[in-house]
Amino acid sequence: MIGSLTADVRSIDDAGDREDLLHKKMHLELVANTVALKDVVLPSKPWELIAVGAENRLTTGVPGNHVIVYRGELRAAPSVDAKVHKAHKVVVKLATRARSFEALIREGELYAGPLAEMSNRAVPSCYGVFRVTNRTVVDDENDCSFGCLILADLGEPVESFAKADEMFQIRLVNVLVELHHKMHMTHGQVYPVNVFDKNGWPFLVDFSRAKLNHQCKFLLERDALKEFGLDVKPKFEDLPCKELYKVTEAVNGWRPSSFICYNLAFDVEFLESPLDIMDKAPPEFTAEDAFEDAHEAIIKYYNKWMPATGKGKAHADALEENRVSWLKEFKAERARASRG
């Protein structure tokens, strides 16, 4: 555990054109109950937080939240043998207002509290929240640093949930199920920018909008997605948890509950009843067109959403073998309906 640090703090304008040194050799003291360093070896030696320049600025976060995010390094102080204590690559969330610093303390307490069990497994290691003890005002009271939250650097966030590897998608849903059901917490911002891929395992960051005491009604066990992507998407009222529902939807954890044919939406139950689909064909469709479009829609759905089942190929093969008799049956059915 690091008890104190020294650091330089810099301010950069929104365009990234101007960088000003606000504080040099700032003293940072650890805020209690904000450290979660599971499986991270960190000897109690003097450490320095190496300040970063404009090129390492990651984001300003939500507009108006007065938190700037940088990349940096925790290095052994010059008095310590740097060869013995390797530098730790970190991300620094720097608060420039007293209120935003209080929010960082809350986030640090979450990492050290309910999220501690997930540290270095599904959330980043947290080196702690540090309060500035020698803060000095440069221009006015609003132009200074109050403290920072230091987390392990996980690299770059994922680009898209839908394009991620299927195993990663399953693991992401399982991590959220654990967060909701075991920690009774919602994240609040499960977007690609806040999800990282560490050797195939999802890591969540930015718990600034997390909520506690969540009683999740999304009834899935951690291994519930054994048939990932094969189950039909349920109605929201059947699994009423907005966060898990939206994420499972985003990773294609369910297949669509309907498909399109004749510019009409059909429930997936119609996949097993081609004749019932054809009965809904608009009157301007010939029997041949209605027949071909219905079977094409069925095969397309199977191939896109259930490729591993082989149902698309099986239906196409059966159609090729039985096209004449099936079409004859449909024409006869249509003729009877028109006479009735």
Side-chain angles (χ1 to χ4, degrees):
M1 181 183 299
I2 301 174
S4 62
L5 291 166
T6 59
D8 292 343
V9 179
R10 303 174 186 275
S11 173
I12 305 172
D13 63 16
D14 289 337
D17 298 327
R18 178 184 174 186
E19 179 177 338
D20 297 317
L21 179 64
L22 297 182
H23 303 278
K24 186 176 182 180
K25 298 302 178 184
M26 177 174 287
H27 298 298
L28 304 173
E29 292 294 332
L30 178 66
V31 176
N33 302 317
T34 61
V35 177
L37 292 175
K38 185 178 180 181
D39 300 325
V40 176
V41 178
L42 197 65
S44 298
K45 298 290 183 181
W47 291 83
E48 288 185 334
L49 174 62
I50 303 303
V52 293
E55 70 278 4
N56 287 321
R57 182 179 180 179
L58 298 180
T59 176
T60 55
V62 179
N65 72 348
H66 305 296
V67 173
I68 306 173
V69 185
Y70 292 95
R71 277 201 167 100
E73 285 188 350
L74 281 173
R75 300 179 186 172
S79 59
V80 179
D81 187 353
K83 294 181 180 179
V84 177
H85 304 297
K86 187 173 68 172
H88 293 245
K89 294 187 180 299
V90 295
V91 168
V92 182
K93 298 182 71 171
L94 178 67
T96 60
R97 299 289 191 277
R99 186 173 181 179
S100 58
F101 180 61
E102 292 302 316
L104 291 187
I105 293 177
R106 176 183 180 271
E107 188 173 356
E109 290 173 342
L110 291 177
Y111 280 114
L115 294 172
E117 188 176 326
M118 303 174 79
S119 180
N120 204 25
R121 176 172 61 82
V123 301
S125 298
C126 180
Y127 293 84
V129 176
F130 293 82
R131 187 189 307 274
V132 177
T133 59
N134 63 335
R135 181 170 62 86
T136 57
V137 177
V138 177
D139 294 322
D140 58 62
E141 189 174 354
N142 289 326
D143 192 19
C144 52
S145 172
F146 285 80
C148 62
L149 167 64
I150 303 177
L151 303 168
D153 189 349
L154 298 172
E156 300 300 327
V158 299
E159 294 183 3
S160 165
F161 291 155
K163 296 179 181 179
D165 176 82
E166 184 176 290
M167 183 54 67
F168 180 87
Q169 294 174 333
I170 295 173
R171 288 169 174 169
L172 175 59
V173 174
N174 283 339
V175 164
L176 286 173
V177 169
E178 179 182 6
L179 183 71
H180 282 219
H181 286 257
K182 192 171 184 179
M183 285 66 183
H184 301 290
M185 180 191 304
T186 58
H187 181 279
Q189 304 178 90
V190 187
Y191 309 124
V193 69
N194 290 327
V195 178
F196 290 72
D197 184 342
K198 186 177 180 181
N199 301 320
W201 293 90
F203 276 65
L204 302 176
V205 302
D206 193 354
F207 286 82
S208 59
R209 294 189 179 181
K211 293 183 179 180
L212 299 174
N213 302 316
H214 175 60
Q215 299 301 317
C216 190
K217 297 181 180 179
F218 192 99
L219 301 177
L220 283 180
E221 299 298 330
R222 293 202 66 208
D223 61 349
L225 295 179
K226 292 177 181 177
E227 302 298 322
F228 188 79
L230 295 184
D231 292 332
V232 175
K233 178 182 174 181
K235 296 179 180 179
F236 175 74
E237 51 266 31
D238 293 332
L239 293 172
C241 174
K242 183 177 180 180
E243 183 165 272
L244 264 169
Y245 191 92
K246 288 294 185 182
V247 172
T248 305
E249 184 179 47
V251 300
N252 297 323
W254 297 304
R255 58 185 171 93
S257 59
S258 64
F259 62 97
I260 301 298
C261 185
Y262 318 130
N263 288 323
L264 301 173
F266 289 85
D267 189 275
V268 289
E269 293 180 356
F270 281 83
L271 291 170
E272 303 295 332
S273 306
L275 283 175
D276 291 336
I277 300 174
M278 298 174 212
D279 286 342
K280 304 293 184 181
E284 63 269 20
F285 275 64
T286 65
E288 288 79 5
D289 287 342
F291 179 88
E292 294 297 336
D293 283 10
H295 286 287
E296 181 181 346
I298 293 171
I299 294 170
K300 182 178 179 180
Y301 182 93
Y302 281 143
N303 285 340
K304 182 174 182 179
W305 299 108
M306 305 172 66
T309 66
K311 287 189 173 183
K313 183 179 185 306
H315 191 93
D317 291 343
L319 175 63
E320 188 66 26
E321 182 178 346
N322 300 285
R323 177 179 267 103
V324 174
S325 61
W326 285 358
L327 179 56
K328 183 178 180 180
E329 179 185 1
F330 170 55
K331 286 182 175 180
E333 180 69 26
R334 201 180 211 194
R336 284 194 295 272
S338 64
R339 289 195 298 270

